[in-house]
Amino acid sequence: MTAPLRHNWALPEIEAKFDLPFNDLLFQAHSVHRAHHDANAVQISTLLSIKTGACPEDCGYCPQSARFDTGLKAEKLLPLAEVMARARAAKASGATRFCLGAAWRSPRDQDLAQVASMVSAVKALGLETCATLGMLRGDQAATLKSAGLDYYNHNLDTSPEYYPAVISTRCYQDRLDTLTEVRDAGLKTCCGGIVGMGESRRDRAGLLQALANLPAHPDSVPINRLVKVAGTPLAAAAELETFEFVRTLAVARLLMPRSMLRLSAGRESMSEELQALCFFAGANSIFYGEKLLTTGNPDTAADQALFGKLGLHPLAPGADCH
Ligand code: SAM
Ligand code: DTB
Ligand code: SF4
């Protein structure tokens, strides 16, 4: 018997979990992980930036904002043929999900129609599909669902209190509203945040509280460790202590026991030992392929070697449905 899922977490309860001795926290998180998941299976997704840069938003962590000079070359929406070539290559290298990312505040309807065609074509290859395109209206979410989209990624990023220190061009409620539209359209939600942006432990607890207290736990929870990009306001953010990163994953696992927990951006600068600790704490999905959207990710050969050393295997498509 496992405990029912909770959506009424109070901040002090969550902070108390962060405060546990490290071994106690990891033991609890790993026990919960094993009760709900195959502890040796990891879901692998490949990202593709289908529209890069020149974004009107001012997210302080993001190399794609037009407001910061990060040296990134802006690109138009990729043609379908190129997306398909990348999706086929991702499938051949072992990914089971393909995620289309666009540097938009929200998609225009003519762009959405093109993305819908991409989704249908990628789905027809036998890959699960995910997209992250910014804010969506309900009818746009429904269009993507009809096209065969499985997951929509839209992050809360940080606590409601710290959010205004990072982004000014859209508010927390805008994000919650998009998540409501996504759920109502019957799409699976992928929603998480970024740590290492100079936030406090209380903010990390507040992010996890906001995620766990959503009407439904996100199906997938990406925890990104900030990739510091020169030219962004957060380029010089203080490094988050690694055990604190592991604690954040462990507490996320305790609060959202059934969700897939993604060890997301930031793996390129993590040791194998740190990643192993993250998997033990409850992480069970990764981005796979040498690039995230615009920044680096470990080589597939390095990830395959790590899986071999740890005895991990890729999760079969659909095996994470509850
Ligand atoms: N433009 C859309 C949006 O923001 O909703 C979709 C793409 S956006 C790049 C997707 C997510 O990537 C962001 O919500 C953020 O959590 C993550 N991200 C962006 N830049 C990052 C960075 N430098 N380090 C870690 N995560 C980052
Ligand atoms: C998520 O939470 N992280 C991914 C995915 N969802 C779209 C994106 C990470 C982006 C890292 C910076 C970059 O490569 O541009
Ligand atoms: Fe634009 Fe998304 Fe980057 Fe924010 S995170 S600047 S919305 S691409």
Side-chain angles (χ1 to χ4, degrees):
M1 255 312 257
T2 51
L5 298 182
R6 281 184 56 189
H7 301 272
N8 61 350
W9 291 95
L11 199 58
E13 290 180 279
I14 302 172
E15 289 182 293
K17 295 195 185 302
F18 269 95
D19 289 343
L20 285 168
F22 190 75
N23 283 341
D24 292 351
L25 175 58
L26 254 68
F27 180 72
Q28 286 186 21
H30 189 71
S31 304
V32 166
H33 187 52
R34 263 181 193 271
H36 293 89
H37 301 271
D38 174 346
N40 302 310
V42 176
Q43 194 284 324
I44 57 182
S45 300
T46 293
L47 280 166
L48 175 65
S49 179
I50 56 168
K51 189 269 162 190
T52 302
C55 182
E57 302 291 275
D58 69 351
C59 312
Y61 46 76
C62 185
Q64 304 205 64
S65 169
R67 298 168 191 238
F68 318 136
D69 183 6
T70 61
L72 185 72
K73 192 172 152 283
E75 286 169 24
K76 293 206 188 91
L77 189 59
L78 291 182
L80 178 63
E82 187 165 346
V83 174
M84 293 309 289
R86 301 291 288 270
R88 279 190 205 96
K91 187 176 179 194
S93 75
T96 58
R97 189 176 306 160
F98 197 62
C99 181
L100 308 173
W104 288 321
R105 171 180 167 81
S106 54
R108 296 178 306 173
D109 287 343
Q110 63 261 42
D111 292 326
L112 194 82
Q114 291 197 58
V115 177
S117 307
M118 294 173 188
V119 167
S120 301
V122 170
K123 179 95 173 166
L125 294 178
L127 284 162
E128 293 178 325
T129 54
C130 177
T132 182
L133 316 170
M135 293 187 281
L136 289 187
R137 299 188 312 265
D139 62 295
Q140 294 180 312
T143 299
L144 290 169
K145 172 76 183 169
S146 307
L149 189 70
D150 296 306
Y151 291 80
Y152 194 76
N153 165 248
H154 200 65
N155 290 337
L156 291 178
D157 278 351
T158 188
S159 69
E161 293 76 19
Y162 196 63
Y163 185 93
V166 180
I167 300 147
S168 77
T169 48
R170 65 177 129 146
C171 64
Y172 220 72
Q173 190 59 47
D174 292 327
R175 293 186 183 245
L176 294 169
D177 290 347
T178 291
L179 290 168
T180 301
E181 302 299 357
V182 166
R183 277 194 309 271
D184 288 354
L187 291 164
K188 291 181 187 153
T189 54
C190 171
C191 181
I194 310 177
V195 295
M197 299 195 293
E199 77 286 341
S200 63
R201 175 180 274 188
R202 191 179 172 84
D203 291 311
R204 287 185 284 281
L207 165 67
L208 298 183
Q209 180 189 33
L211 293 168
N213 289 352
L214 286 167
H217 291 173
D219 298 280
S220 168
V221 178
I223 302 295
N224 296 279
R225 187 167 83 164
L226 176 69
V227 179
K228 293 180 211 171
V229 180
T232 61
L234 287 170
E239 195 63 36
L240 183 70
E241 205 261 318
T242 52
F243 294 122
E244 182 68 11
F245 180 73
V246 179
R247 281 180 185 273
T248 307
L249 286 168
V251 177
R253 172 49 72 222
L254 291 176
L255 267 48
M256 296 169 279
R258 291 195 191 164
S259 302
M260 298 298 290
L261 191 56
R262 191 174 300 272
L263 175 55
S264 192
R267 278 199 311 119
E268 201 183 25
S269 61
M270 290 179 200
S271 68
E272 291 190 331
E273 292 83 356
L274 173 57
Q275 293 182 63
L277 209 47
C278 293
F279 293 129
F280 187 79
N284 60 353
S285 59
I286 58 166
F287 287 121
Y288 177 70
E290 77 284 0
K291 217 171 168 195
L292 293 165
L293 290 173
T294 67
T295 64
N297 199 40
D299 293 341
T300 52
D303 280 340
Q304 284 169 12
L306 180 60
F307 273 39
K309 288 181 213 178
L310 301 180
L312 297 173
H313 59 266
L315 188 74
D320 51 345
C321 296
H322 300 290

